[in-house]
């Protein structure tokens, strides 16, 4: 069946209420629909509107106690100089304000309108402006689980990114240590392709004794200068393999490894995969 | 089916009763809804840290005498959370709780929550991770 790209809300909601009457009647729930207009046409796919309202109304019926009522009203309203259709769904018998995620499992833009001790009113608003771009709301209403998990995932990513980046992690809590690490990183970066640049060279560049450097760096990162330099080189090598179109040998020499074979060995030990294999995992990798 | 519906409505009413005015979660009110001492202790513990915290349910399933809820706790950290002093940060803390209900009372519960998210929202995790 061809799906209409517009819907006349009034017959649609009327017929929906008629079809849900047996469900409501079985629980002795009064289901009533009224509208101040005879027709309200909006440019939304009819099947999506129907499916969304069916889910919402049947879920509310499921939650309200027997012998109560569900009133659905439709009216046109003016808001910010634009005309809207406002569909209100009001239930008696229970306050559903704290369970919004349960009510709106569809993609209609349902919002809590008001709540009382044993009553809730939800509202769905659609713009009637001809210029309005109508897109179905893809979020679960009220910042429900979908949004919540997006935020959570963002938080987890941010947390682990900070763990992997000691400078960023320290910047918030120990700015002096962060500044020290930035200085060390700059020194290593300037000498990245110099395979002779080791812990002694780093301590010279930092104008510190080898023991001082070891003590300070270990207290911040838990690693010795030698290990820190090697890890830094590997991280840069990985970044080059990920972002630049270069050969493994070029990366090895650019990051201060004395030979590609030594680089491959050290890289595999760190990341569990050879540089060539890692390079092939890039999305735009070829078999060249 | 009817009993499961009643149990769900009971939990929704319980959430509504717990919310609202500061100090709403009195022993008297808790006893109206539960006989589970562990849950009462847990609510008291959380109420000290997040006075007048609210619970919003995202999903609810009922089976037998159990109701399982995927929910979020919303509040502001104004008191001690165990040994963690007030951070004055607001939280939206996800958790899953299973209530066992008999004769309109919660008789036991099981709960799991995203502690890492909570610690992050309170700003505890980055401080702890940096030694």
């Amino acid at each position: 069946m061809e799906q209409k790209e517009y819907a006349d809300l009034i017959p649609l909601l009327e017929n929906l209420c008629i079809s849900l009457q047996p469900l409501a009647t079985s629980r002795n729930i009064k289901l009533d629909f009224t509208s101040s207009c005879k027709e309200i046409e909006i440019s939304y796919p009819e099947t999506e509107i129907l499916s969304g309202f069916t889910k919402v109304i049947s879920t509310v019926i499921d939650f309200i106690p027997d012998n109560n009522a569900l009133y659905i009203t439709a009216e046109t309203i003016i808001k910010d100089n634009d005309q809207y259709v406002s569909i209100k769904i009001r239930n008696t018998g229970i306050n559903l304000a704290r369970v919004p995620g349960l009510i709106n499992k569809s993609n209609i833009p349902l919002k809590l309108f008001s709540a009382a001790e044993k009553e809730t009113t939800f509202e769905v608003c659609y713009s009637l402006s001809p210029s309005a771009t109508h897109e179905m709301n893809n979020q679960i209403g009220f910042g429900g689980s979908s949004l919540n998990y997006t935020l959570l995932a963002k938080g987890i990513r941010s947390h682990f990114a900070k763990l992997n980046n000691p400078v960023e992690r320290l910047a918030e809590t120990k700015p002096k240590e962060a500044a020290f690490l930035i200085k060390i990183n700059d020194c290593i970066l300037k000498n990245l392709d110099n395979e002779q640049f080791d812990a002694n060279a780093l301590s010279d560049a930092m104008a510190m004794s080898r023991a001082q450097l070891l003590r300070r760096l270990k207290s911040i990162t838990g690693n010795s200068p030698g290990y820190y330099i090697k890890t830094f080189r590997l991280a840069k090598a990985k970044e080059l393999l990920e972002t630049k179109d270069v050969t493994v040998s070029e990366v090895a020499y650019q990051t201060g490894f004395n030979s590609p074979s030594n680089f491959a060995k050290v890289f595999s030990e760190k990341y569990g995969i050879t540089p060539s294999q890692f390079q092939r995992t890039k999305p735009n990798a070829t078999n060249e | 089916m009817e009993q499961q519906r009643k149990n769900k409505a009971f939990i929704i009413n319980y959430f509504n009763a717990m919310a609202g005015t500061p100090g709403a979660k009195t022993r008297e009110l808790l006893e109206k809804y539960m006989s589970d001492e562990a849950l009462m202790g847990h609510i008291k513990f959380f109420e000290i840290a997040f006075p007048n915290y609210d619970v919003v349910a995202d999903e609810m399933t009922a089976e037998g005498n159990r109701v399982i809820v995927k929910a979020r706790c919303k509040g502001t950290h104004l008191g001690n959370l165990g040994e963690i002093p007030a951070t004055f940060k607001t939280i939206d803390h996800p958790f899953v709780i299973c209530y066992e209900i008999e004769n309109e009372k919660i008789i036991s519960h099981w709960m799991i929550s995203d502690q890492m998210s909570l610690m992050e929202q309170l700003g505890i995790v980055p401080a702890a991770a940096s030694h």
Side-chain angles (χ1 to χ4, degrees), chain B:
Chain B
M1 188 70 180
E2 185 58 25
Q3 190 53 50
Q4 279 80 40
R5 184 177 288 120
K6 280 184 180 168
N7 284 346
K8 283 203 254 185
F10 169 76
I11 292 298
I12 291 170
N13 286 330
Y14 158 63
F15 283 172
N16 288 336
M18 292 290 119
T21 53
K25 300 176 192 77
T26 58
R27 173 88 193 181
E28 189 185 2
L29 182 74
L30 296 181
E31 282 178 351
K32 187 178 163 191
Y33 288 94
M34 64 189 73
S35 59
D36 180 355
E37 287 290 338
L39 183 57
M40 284 193 228
H42 181 78
I43 291 168
K44 192 180 167 192
F45 175 82
F46 230 66
E47 183 68 16
I48 290 168
F50 302 93
N52 200 27
Y53 72 85
D54 201 0
V55 173
V56 176
D58 289 326
E59 281 186 41
M60 191 177 281
T61 309
E63 182 74 40
N65 67 343
R66 288 189 160 92
V67 177
I68 297 166
V69 187
K70 187 177 112 188
R72 286 169 291 130
C73 171
K74 295 176 167 193
T76 306
H77 186 202
L78 301 176
N80 283 359
L81 178 68
E83 292 179 0
I84 303 169
T87 60
F88 306 97
K89 294 193 172 171
T90 55
I91 59 147
D92 190 334
H93 175 49
F95 66 99
V96 173
I97 188 161
C98 171
Y99 299 102
E100 194 176 353
I101 300 159
E102 289 291 351
N103 301 321
E104 300 217 318
K105 292 248 188 202
I106 297 165
I107 57 165
S108 73
H109 80 287
W110 173 93
M111 181 170 67
I112 187 164
S113 69
D114 190 338
Q115 294 293 326
M116 198 186 85
S117 158
L118 178 63
M119 292 300 122
E120 260 203 357
Q121 290 181 49
L122 295 178
I124 305 299
V125 166
S130 62
H131 303 290

Side-chain angles (χ1 to χ4, degrees), chain A residues 24-96:
Chain A
T25 308
S26 71
R27 306 257 326 279
N28 203 20
I29 288 168
K30 183 183 176 186
L31 178 59
D32 185 57
F33 172 72
T34 53
S35 169
S36 60
C37 311
K38 283 189 178 171
E39 59 178 43
I40 302 174
E41 201 166 86
I42 58 169
S43 54
Y44 281 78
E46 189 178 82
T47 49
E48 289 187 38
I49 294 269
L50 187 62
S51 143
F53 276 98
T54 306
K55 280 181 193 166
V56 169
I57 295 168
S58 54
T59 308
V60 174
I61 291 175
D62 194 42
F63 273 106
I64 59 181
D66 294 357
N67 310 312
N68 275 283
L70 182 59
Y71 302 100
I72 299 156
T73 57
E75 61 179 341
T76 54
I77 56 169
I78 304 288
K79 205 163 60 176
D80 302 328
N81 295 327
D82 271 329
Q83 198 177 21
Y84 291 83
V85 54
S86 159
I87 299 132
K88 292 198 178 72
I89 300 164
R90 180 169 74 89
N91 71 273
T92 64
I94 192 165
N95 176 353
L96 296 170

Side-chain angles (χ1 to χ4, degrees), chain A residues 21-240:
Chain A
Q21 278 299 347
L23 174 67
T25 308
S26 71
R27 306 257 326 279
N28 203 20
I29 288 168
K30 183 183 176 186
L31 178 59
D32 185 57
F33 172 72
T34 53
S35 169
S36 60
C37 311
K38 283 189 178 171
E39 59 178 43
I40 302 174
E41 201 166 86
I42 58 169
S43 54
Y44 281 78
E46 189 178 82
T47 49
E48 289 187 38
I49 294 269
L50 187 62
S51 143
F53 276 98
T54 306
K55 280 181 193 166
V56 169
I57 295 168
S58 54
T59 308
V60 174
I61 291 175
D62 194 42
F63 273 106
I64 59 181
D66 294 357
N67 310 312
N68 275 283
L70 182 59
Y71 302 100
I72 299 156
T73 57
E75 61 179 341
T76 54
I77 56 169
I78 304 288
K79 205 163 60 176
D80 302 328
N81 295 327
D82 271 329
Q83 198 177 21
Y84 291 83
V85 54
S86 159
I87 299 132
K88 292 198 178 72
I89 300 164
R90 180 169 74 89
N91 71 273
T92 64
I94 192 165
N95 176 353
L96 296 170
R98 278 181 184 78
V99 291
L102 310 184
I103 305 304
N104 195 11
K105 293 187 184 303
S106 70
N107 51 5
I108 61 170
L110 187 81
K111 285 179 182 166
L112 180 67
F113 184 76
S114 65
E117 192 187 344
K118 290 201 168 184
E119 191 177 300
T120 336
T121 304
F122 296 98
E123 184 187 34
V124 182
C125 260
Y126 293 112
S127 171
L128 293 173
S129 159
S131 59
T133 305
H134 290 152
E135 283 178 10
M136 296 297 277
N137 185 356
N138 286 323
Q139 283 186 352
I140 295 175
F142 317 100
S145 56
S146 166
L147 181 60
N148 189 36
Y149 279 98
T150 307
L151 290 173
L152 195 59
K154 198 176 161 190
I156 289 167
R157 271 200 302 276
S158 144
H159 171 67
F160 282 103
K162 281 182 186 172
L163 286 183
N164 289 332
N165 185 340
V167 172
E168 197 180 324
R169 171 161 53 89
L170 288 166
E172 289 176 8
T173 51
K174 296 179 178 173
K176 278 187 185 170
E177 275 83 348
F180 177 73
L181 272 190
I182 289 170
K183 205 173 164 190
I184 282 194
N185 290 350
D186 283 346
C187 280
I188 303 172
L189 198 58
K190 280 180 193 156
N191 294 280
L192 194 63
D193 59 353
N194 177 4
E195 64 182 78
Q196 305 295 326
F197 191 80
D198 57 8
N200 286 327
L202 180 61
S203 60
D204 288 346
M206 294 291 291
M208 298 172 87
S209 73
R210 175 88 194 258
Q212 280 175 319
L213 179 65
L214 172 67
R215 204 166 40 244
R216 183 117 193 242
L217 192 61
K218 192 141 191 169
S219 73
I220 299 171
T221 66
N223 297 320
S224 68
Y227 184 86
Y228 188 83
I229 294 169
K230 188 174 82 172
T231 308
F232 190 94
R233 289 187 196 281
L234 282 169
K236 286 289 165 196
K238 186 165 169 265
E239 190 183 309
L240 285 173

